[in-house]
Structure formats: C-alpha cells, structure tokens
Amino acid sequence: MKRRGMAWVGRHLGVPADASLWLWLYRLFVLPRPAAPDQPQDAASRLQRSLAPLIHLRTRLGRGLIWLLGPVCRPIARLEPRLLPDPVALNARLERLARAPWLEWPLLRGGVFAVAAVVLWLAITTPFTGFEQVLFFLFTLSLALYVRRMPGNLPALLLIGLSVLVSLRYGWWRATQTLTLESPIEKALGWGLLLAEIYTWGILILGFIQTAWPLKRKPVPLPADVNQWPTVDIFVPTYNEPLAVVRPTVLAAKGLDWPAEKLRIYILDDGRREEFREFAAAAGVEYMTRPDNFHAKAGNLNHALPLTHGEFVAIFDCDHIPNRSFLQMTMGWFLQDQRCAMVQTPHHFFSADPFERNLGTFRRIPNEGALFYGLVQDGNDFWDATFFCGSCAILRRGPLMEVGGIAVETVTEDAHTALKLHRRGYSTAYINITQAAGLATESLSGHVGQRIRWARGMAQIFRIDNPFLGKGLTFFQRLCYSNAMLHFFYGIPRLVFLTAPLSFLFFELHIINAMASMIALYVLPHIVHSNIANARIQGPFRHTFWAEVYESVLAWYIALPTTIAFINPRLGKFNVTAKGGLVEESYFDWVISKPYLILVSINLLGFGIGIGRMFFWNTHEQGTVLLNLLWTFYNLLMLGAAVSVATEQRQVRLSHRVPARLPAMLRLKDGRALHCYTEDFSLHGLGLLLANDGIRPGDVLKVSLWRGPVEHVFPARVVVARGGNVGVHFEGLTLEQEAALIQCTFARADIWAAWNNEQDADHPLLGMKEIFMLGLEGYWKLAEHMGKGGRERWQRLSGRPATRQSRA
Amino acid sequence: MPRLALISNLGGCGRTSLVAHLASAFVERGRQVLAVEFDPANVLGLHLGLERSPEAGWVSPLLAGEAWTEAGLQNSEQIAFLPFGRLGGADLAALETALAQDEGWLARHLSDVPELDNALVLLDAPPLPSAFARQTLAAADFILVVLEADGRSLAQLPALETWLATLAPDQPYAVLVNRLDSSLPLERDFLAVLQYRLGHRCLPYPVHRDEAVRLSFACFVSLFEAHPQSQALHDLVGVAGWLEGQAALAGASRVTP
Ligand SMILES: Nc1ncnc2c1ncn2[C@@H]1O[C@H](COP(=O)(O)OP(=O)(O)O)[C@@H](O)[C@H]1O
Ligand SMILES: [Mg+2]
C-alpha cells in the first residue's frame, strides 16, 4: 500500500522509485520540464491526446475520491481525532490567542503582517503545474474542510481568507497567463470576460468584508419612567394602493405599545382620496395631502416633515403592518446613543414573492431579501453603515432635518438619506428582529420593476454622491456603501457569463488562452472555496447556488437601467410597484421572458454545435469543447430557472394566510363554546383546527381571539368544515373589531419570530440537484405553455373564443 | 389535606358546577380529590354523575353521633365525595343552631376525615351570608370567590368586600368570574370593570358560559368525557393549574383553632 502510494507520488513528481532522498526533496519544489508534445496524427489519436489531460485528471480525481471514501476512509476517520486536535477545542484556543495582549504590540503586529503579506504574495503569484495546482487545492480544501467544523466567527474569517487567497491566485493566473490572445475580436472578448470576472472577485471580496462580523445588536430596554419616552410620529405614505391595503397598517400603528399622548399617526395620501380622509377620521388618525406629487414618496414624506413635531419619525410603507412592539424594540438605542439617527428593522413578507411562488420555494429556501436583512445589514451595522430601507425604520427628526429631509436626488431616497446621515457623522443601527410585515410584490414584472428601481437608484447615487469620494465616511463605510451600489451592476457581467462559451462554440474564438484542464484546475478551487466560505457565513440566509439563480433571472432587466443611470443619472422615471393583485390562472409571461427565450435559444444552439464538435467535425480540441459544453449546460440550467420564474403560478387568494397557532374560541348558535387553535389567519378569516362538532358551512357564529389576557370577539360565518378543520370568514366587522383583529393577529409582538424555523438547511450538493431540477422544470413548463399558446392561436384563428385571457 | 372553598354572595353563579368540574380537572392532573357538599340543596351528587340525589349523606349520621365518614361515595372518575344527604326539618334546625354557636364546627369535623395523601378538599356551600358559607370560609385554606360578569355582581361587590374584610389578614383568596358570555359587549364591559375594581385579586382568565356545562349536567356525564373541546373545560383546566400553583393549596391543611 505504502509502496504503491510512493510510486504514484513519484511518478507525478518525476522521481524514480529508488531515487535518493535528495532528489525527492528537490523534486518537491522543482519539476522536470515536460516533454514537448508531438504533432497529432489522426482524429482518433488527436481526440485521445486532447482529452488526455482531462481523462487523466478524471481518473486521478476518481481514484482519489475512491481512496478517500473507500474502506481506508474509516480507519482514517477513527485516527483523525488522534492526529488532529478537536476543532471545537482548537477554536477556543484560537480565540484566546486572538485576544492575547502581546498581539497588540505594534512591532509584532507589523512583523506578522509583513510575513503574511510576503507569504500571501508567494501563494498568489507562484506559477504551478497542473499537478502542483491539484496539490495546492487539496491542501487548501482539506484545511477548509477542517476549519469548517470549528464553531464561531474566527474560523469563518479563516475560511474567508482561504477563499480570497484561492480566488486571487486564480485572478493572478488569469491576468498573467491566459491573455495572449490572437485576433482583435478575441482580445476584446477575452478582456471583456476578464473584466466581468474582476467585477465578481471584487464583489466577492467586498461582500466578505461587509459580512465578516455580523453585529447582531440586541434591543436596549427603555427607562421605566414613561415620562422620559420621547414623542413619535408615524408616517404611512400612500399613493395608489387600495384602502384595504392601508387599513391594517394604520390600525396596527394605532395599537403600538407607546403612550397614546406621545404617538401620532399620519396617513400621507398622495392620491388625495376622499375615502382615505374618511377612514382617517373614523380611525382617529391624522390625514395629510399635498398639492403636487413631486419626488414621489420622498417628496410626500418631506412635505409632512415641517408640518409635524414628534421628536422621532417612524416610516411604514402603507402595506407594512407593524408589530405592537416596534417602538419598544427600537427606541432604546436612541436614548442610549445620542448620535444614533436611525434604527432599521427587517422587511418581512408573509406572502410569496414571484420567485417563491413560481419555483415553489416559499418558506423553504431563503428568498432574495433574506441575505440582505438576515446578514448584510447586521454586517453593515458592525461597520456603522446600516442602510435606511425606506420602511420599518425610525429616524431622529433633528438629523433628518439637518440633511434636508429625505433625499430626493435619486430614486432610492432611503439609501441616499442614510449616506447623507453617515457623512454628517451620525450613526445608524440595525435590529434584526422582524417588527413589521407586508405583502411581497405579486408578479414577476412587478418584482423586476422594483429591482430595476433599486438598481437604478444605486447607480444614480454612485454617480451623484459616490461613497468613495466626499468627506465624512470611514473607510469601511465607504466599502459597505460601494458594495451595496456596485453589486447592482451584476447585470452585464452575468450576461457575459451566460454567453461567454458561445463565442467559442459558434465562432471558435479562444478568449482564454490556456489548456481546458488548467482552467478547470484554477476555476474549481475558486468556486469551491467561495462556496464553502459563503455557505458558512450566509448559510441560513442564502443557499448555495441561489445567488446565481436570482442574479441570472434579473440580469437582463437591470443591465440596461443601471448602465443608463450610470451614464446619465437623471434619465428615467420612478415606478410604484402594484400590490394586492391576483393571478387568476397560471400563465406564461411571454413579454418579460423574451430576452431569456432568446438566450435559451442561442445557448441550446451552441450546445448542439458543441456536441457536434465533440464527436463529428473539427474535433481537434475536445478538452476546450467539453469545458465550454459544461459551462453552457450550467448556463442553460440557470436560464431554465429564469424561464420557470416567468411562469406565473395561479394565485387564488387575495388575502394571504399566515400560519400561526393561536388559541381561539367559537361560540355556536346553540350556546356551546368550543376551544380550539388557529392553523392560520388572514385579514378576512381564520383556519381553525377543530374536530368538527356539528358545524356546517354557512353557520353564523362568533370567534374569539386573545391579545394578552384581553378577549376580542368577531362575528363570522363558516365557509369550510371538514375533518379536523373549520374555516371561518369574518362578517361585518366594525372598525373597532377590525383594529382588534389586527392586534390579535398581524401586530402580535412575536408573530414573525418563528417564521424561518421550518426552512430547509443549506446542503450544497442537494442544492445542486435542486437547481438542476428547477432548470429542467423551467423547460418543461415552457414546452407546456408553448403547446397551450399554439392551441390558443389555433382557436383564435378558427374563430373560437380563447380559454384564457392573454395579458400584455 | 388542603381545603379549597368556593363561595359567593350570589345564588346560581355556578359554585356547585365548578366544584364538580374542578374536581375532575384536578383528578386529570393526577391529584386526589375529595368534594364535600355543605349545602342542604343536596345536588352535588347530580353534578358528579348520580342520577338521583342520595338520601343518605354525611351530616345526619354525624349529628346522630354515628360513623359519618362511611357516607363517602366515589364516582367513575375516582372523585371521592361526601353528599350532604336529605336532612329533616328538625335536624336542619338543630344543625343551624350548632353552626351559629360554633364557627369552627365544620373545620373541626373535617379534620376527622381519614387522611388521604395530599388530597385536595373542595367545599361547596350555599351563598353568603348563610351560616353554611361562613363555616366553609372558616375551614378553608384558600377561598375561590365566584362571581358573574353582570350588574348583580357589581351591585353586591361592596357587600362582598365587607365579607372579605372579616377574613384573617393572611387568608389567601381569589375571585373567579364564571359563565362569561364574551359575545355580549355588556358582559365584556362588566368583566373589565370587575377586573379593574378587584385588580390582581381577580383571576385574569374567566370561565366562559358554555352550554356544554349544562348539557353534561343534564346527561349525568363528565364534561371531560362528553365535551373535550368545550371552552369551559379549557378554562377550568387553566384555573385548576393556577390553583395548584398557590402555596396554600400545596401542602397540608392549616391547623384549625
Ligand atoms: N360556565 C358555565 N356555563 C354555562 N352554564 C353554567 C356554567 N357554570 C354553571 N352553569 C349552570 O348554571 C346553573 C347554576 O349552577 P350551580 O352550579 O347550581 O350554581 P350555584 O351552585 O352557584 O347555585 C346550572 O344550570 C349550571 O349548569
Ligand atoms: Mg349550589
């Protein structure tokens, strides 16, 4: 066994088995020159030759794997604890070491940094042969796999370090070894690809910095003396949303746990609707309009600012229903830290966004926003760079007025306002406890519209008030803001990746000058390590590969707006996203998915050509063809997911149900009172878990819910009664009852606390399978809808009415 | 054997029913229970599953100087109880004079009951100011005052407070609102006023009005068996749990003077 192992290593290092120890040592550092390859003879040998490195690699890797996983694995696993220290104990020791006082000595520090810099430089720039690169990868990989098992934040930093090292090594290699390109067109494309890659490395590293040490700030309790609590104005801006959407928000705001004489609620109605005025009067809140609609939401808020007087201003988008504890959770920090100008809480959505709905991942896989509100904001908070997100936040009036109110120069007024506050030296805070919840955007087009706005706004800020420039920001604040802005520029790089292999498959352009196997050997560690590091820091907030899915789907739409805003920040218009819509029948959004259908077509075509070049014609560089085929295949899966998202699933309910187990009581006509629990609630009814006890659909009854010890009773009618479930619909609620209902349900302090408990854990390999299935499903759905579309057209042609309303 | 007395200054507010169902609730929680009826109405047995009120009870043998603890019965839920029994007019009059002369009459005789390990004694009595009720007050370790969320309770609250003021200063008690029909706004308002007036002395969770209570009485069945989903049962289980947490009901009975 041992001898065979030595022979294997020897063969690769170019050392005969019986060589002296010196030669062994020498060969560990210096490899013999590879023999010059002779010209390929015929197709068969050419094929063999070009595939050789890959086959070679594959057999080696395969054997390595078998060796790892095989029976030998078990004794090793048993031996491992004796050979390697226990990761948990080691981590404890490391953390103690990190806090050692002598680490603070400037000389020592400088020395350590200098040595680290030199080693890093060597590790990044030393060119390796393929085999050496494999060894290097195996080394970093085993280190990472071991460190991964250590708990705590320090090991996460180690993983980040490894990932950065490997990625920089790849970048260096790409920049120095692979750019000798021939024709001008190849040069252009090659450099384009490199730029796109540089962008992703930059974002990767910025992201690591941003989230290296999530602060996880806890709320500070308020003083017991209520007289010290400040006055608060709640702003609920609205423009064109229906009253039904705004009512719960206002009623919940009225129930906030705060002295009533210190709390004022304002509906800021840019739609100037009589209905809203009446509602405000009935609900006992203030109502405000303005003569114009300049600067949309920002202008609306700014109009109200000079007319109101609370020491603090909380802002809730009109569909974000606050929990009663919102002020209790957030105000403490203001009283403790006088420089604190803003406290933000997460945006939480209790309905599925189009990704979640159309891909069936609701509450199973962290959604697009989860990363930002779960991790990025906590990371920002560490660098005192928490962004204002426009809603579910509270600001100190003084500083806000000092920066001229809400910023109006860009379409993302919120981020820009926070930037201005930070420039003035104010700090901001993030409390990662959901304190409000709302409806997610209903349709993909709405979702895309919103993301376009964010992307445009960020591009605008980047141009108008670049966080790298100007005064007042710390270095890390600059980095955090830059990442927030730059990461919206992923559109073009992503499109580059989605089409890069095609230049080779279609036109035989070589845009990376390297052997396919070498590319694989450098790219693979980069991908694997960044995934290991990200899985560690982002695990619960973004599953492996999902960033690619989200970006791929949105890339096309945001590419143009960001570019235009980058060139001329003043072009374009603000758009308000529609909420509360209904998808009556599932349909395929042909309009929005057109670019993706084109991308799919050309990638499929490229894939076909690649298969041809693999086996039938021009078969002289199969290695490269294979690599490009794999790449195209991956792209096709991502595009499949994009297509899948464009298939709008039927959505029947206008009011979304929130799963929750709350005690409830039914009072029946016959005088009985039944105790039960809710399964879910919505604005319009309850799902109850209750062995059916003579209850029939249509029965009129009273339902009780509790808010703390206080019982509230609601008139209702039974709509479903089967098995262990009874569904009731509220009927004729008075305004008070409606308010009580909100208080008993959406506005409960802890109602969103357990939201993510049933989420799947992140398993990178399972995730890969899932993405694979998602991609395939996209094509399946596409085929289905193509069939349907064809049928419809046929029906229309033959004069029969279409079964489905087509939508533009 | 700690003793829990349910008393009230209102008639028909559900004391006897509560004694029976609380007994079931305590048994469900694994506690031994002895329900003692100290009310000439002689109806506790009906609440505990008997189809007719028993002729024989514990009071007349006691008055006759006989072995009166033999009168104890036990129902299918393993609730032990002592029915009052039918008492002739002359006997009743004799008892009433005895009670009038001796405030500790009941307490003294109850200490003669053979010891049941850690069992809880539930005492049922007619409304105050009857002598029977005053006897249970004197005998109890913990007093559960039963009220309703209506104008009657509120009107008689001052009288009740007067009674409560006569208790020993360390005598623990709590007020329970029974038969709440929360669907009636007026009852909710009365409840709120009562809770405000009584403060922490009022249990935060009332027992709801529930037809299941009367149905189980009418059918001689246990609420627990026949109406497991009933709200009144749920409330009673909660009340029983709360009472178990009271120090006065945890250990042995106070030594009566
Ligand atoms: N929670 C309740 N819900 C409905 N009916 C009840 C409830 N509690 C008691 N009752 C009914 O009220 C009536 C009077 O109860 P009872 O226990 O005899 O009162 P008391 O002993 O105070 O005179 C009975 O018919 C009983 O079934
Ligand atoms: Mg009675």
Side-chain angles (χ1 to χ4, degrees):
Chain A
M1 184 68 224
K2 182 180 160 217
R3 206 143 33 82
R4 263 210 279 147
M6 291 291 279
W8 184 80
V9 178
R11 223 173 316 125
H12 279 270
L13 294 177
V15 207
D18 51 357
S20 72
L21 183 63
W22 292 115
L23 186 62
W24 272 100
L25 275 179
Y26 178 69
R27 281 283 181 253
L28 275 179
F29 294 97
V30 183
L31 275 183
R33 293 206 150 276
D38 15 293
Q39 283 313 71
Q41 305 303 316
D42 53 4
S45 72
R46 273 211 311 263
L47 170 76
Q48 241 178 5
R49 213 174 283 279
S50 52
L51 280 183
L54 270 176
I55 292 171
H56 198 63
L57 178 71
R58 207 220 53 216
T59 20
R60 289 286 159 256
L61 279 181
R63 279 207 204 138
L65 265 184
I66 290 166
W67 180 76
L68 270 173
L69 301 174
V72 195
C73 211
R74 256 160 272 141
I76 287 188
R78 228 173 296 137
L79 264 182
E80 194 247 52
R82 243 175 285 167
L83 293 176
L84 295 172
D86 172 41
V88 179
L90 185 68
N91 178 55
R93 248 190 291 163
L94 264 180
E95 279 189 3
R96 233 172 300 131
L97 185 73
R99 264 179 271 121
W102 46 266
L103 265 182
E104 300 292 325
W105 300 347
L107 256 176
L108 188 81
R109 260 187 171 222
V112 169
F113 280 136
V115 171
V118 171
V119 171
L120 200 66
W121 177 249
L122 285 178
I124 290 171
T125 59
T126 309
F128 285 162
T129 64
F131 178 65
E132 288 164 332
Q133 178 66 14
V134 168
L135 279 187
F136 179 74
F137 178 39
L138 281 182
F139 171 70
T140 54
L141 180 66
S142 27
L143 192 60
L145 290 181
Y146 176 73
V147 169
R148 220 162 74 102
R149 290 160 48 197
M150 299 168 37
N153 223 343
L154 220 55
L157 289 182
L158 273 174
L159 290 178
I160 289 177
L162 278 175
S163 168
V164 170
L165 171 74
V166 170
S167 298
L168 284 180
R169 182 167 170 74
Y170 168 53
W172 181 264
W173 174 80
R174 272 288 275 125
T176 56
Q177 312 271 306
T178 64
L179 285 176
T180 29
L181 303 170
E182 278 156 25
S183 64
I185 174 101
E186 280 173 324
K187 279 206 175 79
L189 292 177
W191 276 93
L193 180 60
L194 182 70
L195 285 180
E197 286 188 86
I198 289 177
Y199 169 83
T200 33
W201 302 325
I203 292 297
L204 180 73
I205 291 173
L206 280 177
F208 280 149
I209 295 174
Q210 197 173 21
T211 55
W213 206 277
L215 188 57
K216 298 182 185 153
R217 191 191 289 260
K218 298 272 168 301
V220 170
L222 288 158
D225 176 15
V226 178
N227 291 324
Q228 290 179 32
W229 298 10
T231 51
V232 178
D233 291 332
I234 310 272
F235 287 178
V236 181
T238 165
Y239 172 49
N240 59 0
E241 299 82 359
L243 181 58
V245 170
V246 183
R247 287 172 82 103
T249 305
V250 172
L251 295 176
K254 276 213 73 176
L256 283 170
D257 287 333
W258 203 253
E261 70 280 5
K262 296 190 175 209
L263 184 68
R264 283 199 164 203
I265 293 143
Y266 295 86
I267 301 179
L268 311 179
D269 182 16
D270 255 8
R272 296 179 280 280
R273 289 158 290 184
E274 196 47 41
E275 194 190 9
F276 276 60
R277 180 189 297 282
E278 282 161 18
F279 166 69
V285 302
E286 314 287 329
Y287 177 80
M288 227 178 245
T289 56
R290 55 177 179 149
D292 53 62
N293 285 2
F294 289 141
H295 298 307
K297 178 178 161 191
N300 193 1
L301 295 170
N302 284 341
H303 172 260
L305 277 175
L307 303 175
T308 53
H309 309 285
E311 293 161 70
F312 289 85
V313 179
I315 298 170
F316 289 98
D317 276 355
C318 68
D319 61 333
H320 281 155
I321 307 173
N323 291 13
R324 59 186 287 185
S325 50
F326 172 80
L327 291 172
Q328 304 285 319
M329 290 288 183
T330 50
M331 289 303 295
W333 277 105
F334 286 116
L335 300 185
Q336 168 146 335
D337 175 6
Q338 289 304 316
R339 294 302 289 167
C340 182
M342 195 243 8
V343 175
Q344 176 71 50
T345 66
H347 287 189
H348 174 78
F349 300 101
F350 55 83
S351 67
D353 68 24
F355 280 90
E356 295 174 306
R357 191 177 66 247
N358 297 339
L359 300 180
T361 58
F362 189 43
R363 296 191 71 188
R364 211 157 55 71
I365 289 173
N367 64 24
E368 211 194 338
L371 181 66
F372 183 74
Y373 289 108
L375 180 68
V376 172
Q377 280 281 59
D378 255 339
N380 282 337
D381 202 10
F382 178 78
W383 303 115
D384 188 14
T386 302
F387 307 150
F388 171 40
C389 303
S391 176
C392 314
I394 178 158
L395 297 113
R396 201 189 285 272
R397 181 183 288 266
L400 182 59
M401 297 311 265
E402 202 181 312
V403 298
I406 307 288
V408 294
E409 298 90 327
T410 63
V411 292
T412 43
E413 67 284 345
D414 37 19
H416 196 189
T417 308
L419 179 63
K420 288 180 170 184
L421 288 170
H422 281 132
R423 282 198 193 277
R424 295 238 169 187
Y426 288 108
S427 66
T428 57
Y430 182 62
I431 303 267
N432 193 358
I433 304 173
T434 305
Q435 287 301 305
L439 289 172
T441 325
E442 297 289 324
S443 66
L444 180 60
S445 47
H447 188 87
V448 165
Q450 188 189 47
R451 301 300 137 117
I452 289 178
R453 179 170 75 80
W454 293 354
R456 273 193 60 223
M458 288 306 197
Q460 286 176 326
I461 302 178
F462 196 74
R463 277 295 313 280
I464 298 174
D465 195 5
N466 191 310
F468 269 127
L469 313 171
K471 57 181 170 49
L473 298 181
T474 67
F475 176 66
F476 285 104
Q477 283 177 328
R478 289 180 202 278
L479 288 191
C480 289
Y481 271 104
S482 303
N483 191 29
M485 280 153 209
L486 288 176
H487 107 266
F488 275 108
F489 290 103
Y490 62 75
I492 291 178
R494 183 58 61 185
L495 290 177
V496 168
F497 297 136
L498 284 175
T499 49
L502 298 178
S503 65
F504 172 77
L505 293 175
F506 282 158
F507 309 113
E508 295 186 31
L509 297 175
H510 295 78
I511 56 176
I512 305 176
N513 178 21
M515 288 238 294
S517 57
M518 275 314 255
I519 300 179
L521 280 179
Y522 273 92
V523 175
L524 216 59
H526 157 67
I527 294 175
V528 168
H529 273 283
S530 55
N531 274 321
I532 290 180
N534 273 332
R536 171 59 175 268
I537 44 182
Q538 305 183 346
F541 314 109
R542 166 113 356 136
H543 285 180
T544 320
F545 300 114
W546 278 87
E548 319 256 318
V549 177
Y550 293 138
E551 286 189 6
S552 298
V553 174
L554 293 172
W556 176 269
Y557 312 114
I558 69 162
L560 197 65
T562 44
T563 315
I564 290 182
F566 190 73
I567 295 165
N568 183 352
R570 274 164 242 289
L571 282 181
K573 260 179 49 194
F574 182 93
N575 53 351
V576 177
T577 49
K579 295 209 171 133
L582 238 178
V583 182
E584 268 149 30
E585 200 172 333
S586 69
Y587 65 95
F588 190 80
D589 197 333
W590 294 100
V591 177
I592 200 154
S593 58
K594 201 177 285 162
Y596 284 95
L597 297 177
I598 295 171
L599 281 175
V600 164
S601 319
I602 58 175
N603 267 288
L604 276 177
L605 193 62
F607 196 78
I609 294 177
I611 296 282
R613 287 203 51 197
M614 192 79 192
F615 300 109
F616 305 114
W617 69 84
N618 245 345
T619 47
H620 59 85
E621 38 183 9
Q622 277 103 336
T624 316
V625 172
L626 184 66
L627 193 74
N628 281 291
L629 274 180
L630 286 177
W631 190 349
T632 311
F633 182 69
Y634 181 75
N635 285 344
L636 277 169
L637 285 184
M638 289 296 146
L639 292 169
V643 167
S644 202
V645 177
T647 318
E648 293 284 22
Q649 293 299 325
R650 202 168 109 88
Q651 179 184 319
V652 267
R653 274 193 202 103
L654 198 53
S655 66
H656 292 272
R657 299 185 172 208
V658 178
R661 186 181 158 84
L662 308 171
M665 180 182 104
L666 289 186
R667 179 164 291 288
L668 310 183
K669 266 276 163 64
D670 65 10
R672 281 182 304 152
L674 298 182
H675 171 76
C676 57
Y677 286 94
T678 62
E679 189 177 26
D680 51 49
F681 62 77
S682 76
L683 287 170
H684 302 289
L686 298 173
L688 301 165
L689 294 168
L690 174 74
N692 191 351
D693 212 346
I695 299 172
R696 306 235 173 316
D699 285 0
V700 175
L701 40 70
K702 299 267 167 67
V703 195
S704 296
L705 292 171
W706 278 261
R707 183 200 193 212
V710 181
E711 178 181 353
H712 294 278
V713 185
F714 310 97
R717 179 186 294 276
V718 177
V719 284
V720 215
R722 74 172 96 78
N725 295 74
V726 172
V728 299
H729 220 266
F730 301 119
E731 274 196 342
L733 296 189
T734 63
L735 190 59
E736 274 118 288
Q737 284 170 333
E738 198 184 330
L741 178 64
I742 302 290
Q743 293 300 331
C744 289
T745 52
F746 289 92
R748 297 178 90 87
D750 57 351
I751 194 75
W752 311 116
W755 186 259
N756 290 338
N757 285 1
E758 275 152 50
Q759 202 168 279
D760 295 350
D762 180 20
H763 294 295
L765 293 180
L766 279 184
M768 195 134 79
K769 195 180 122 204
E770 181 141 24
I771 301 278
F772 182 81
M773 299 311 288
L774 268 183
L776 289 190
E777 204 184 308
Y779 291 107
W780 178 247
K781 286 190 203 162
L782 180 64
E784 244 177 20
H785 282 276
M786 262 156 93
K788 241 200 234 173
R791 254 198 321 279
E792 249 166 59
R793 224 160 296 137
W794 167 248
Q795 279 166 344
R796 229 169 314 166
L797 281 179
S798 55
R800 267 176 286 153
T803 47
R804 178 179 64 84
Q805 297 291 306
S806 51
R807 275 175 48 148
Chain B
M1 296 204 293
R3 299 176 199 137
L4 169 68
L6 277 78
I7 66 120
S8 175
N9 56 347
L10 314 170
C13 62
R15 285 179 313 275
T16 312
S17 323
L18 287 182
V19 165
H21 298 310
L22 274 178
S24 307
F26 280 118
V27 167
E28 286 285 312
R29 297 176 64 88
R31 191 106 189 224
Q32 279 206 20
V33 174
L34 170 65
V36 178
E37 182 175 31
F38 198 48
D39 183 348
N42 194 25
V43 290
L44 180 62
L46 301 184
H47 287 271
L48 285 167
L50 291 183
E51 303 204 359
R52 235 174 305 115
S53 290
E55 285 295 320
W58 64 282
V59 181
S60 62
L62 188 144
L63 291 176
E66 293 161 18
W68 56 275
T69 51
E70 318 284 276
L73 299 172
Q74 194 171 44
N75 77 357
S76 60
E77 290 175 279
Q78 313 301 317
I79 300 171
F81 70 101
L82 286 167
F84 190 86
R86 194 179 299 287
L87 211 57
D91 284 344
L92 199 57
L95 177 61
E96 273 171 348
T97 25
L99 296 183
Q101 283 158 7
D102 181 2
E103 283 277 309
W105 185 92
L106 177 67
R108 213 163 11 104
H109 288 296
L110 279 182
S111 14
D112 293 342
V113 178
E115 196 69 30
L116 293 163
D117 275 341
N118 201 27
L120 192 63
V121 179
L122 298 179
L123 298 171
D124 181 32
L128 283 166
S130 92
F132 292 89
R134 297 210 306 276
Q135 291 278 329
T136 57
L137 279 186
D141 296 296
F142 194 96
I143 297 166
L144 195 61
V145 183
V146 184
L147 293 184
E148 282 188 276
D150 61 6
R152 218 161 47 115
S153 291
L154 210 57
Q156 300 208 37
L157 203 54
L160 180 68
E161 295 273 19
T162 316
W163 278 111
L164 293 174
T166 63
L167 296 176
D170 62 339
Q171 170 67 60
Y173 69 91
V175 177
L176 174 69
V177 175
N178 183 30
R179 245 177 14 191
L180 169 77
D181 185 347
S182 49
S183 65
L184 302 176
L186 190 65
E187 291 216 1
R188 288 206 302 274
D189 291 346
F190 275 125
L191 175 69
V193 175
L194 280 175
Q195 283 176 337
Y196 175 74
R197 294 272 288 270
L198 292 161
H200 69 276
R201 296 178 294 168
C202 192
L203 281 182
Y205 295 98
V207 175
H208 286 82
R209 174 183 307 243
D210 187 346
E211 197 62 7
V213 175
R214 303 207 311 164
L215 282 171
S216 73
F217 178 65
C219 305
F220 311 106
V221 288
S222 146
L223 193 58
F224 280 76
E225 272 165 30
H227 303 279
Q229 297 198 81
S230 89
Q231 177 70 32
L233 178 145
H234 176 81
D235 297 334
L236 282 161
V237 169
V239 172
W242 185 87
L243 287 169
E244 279 219 313
Q246 301 303 303
L249 294 178
S253 172
R254 290 193 303 168
V255 204
T256 35

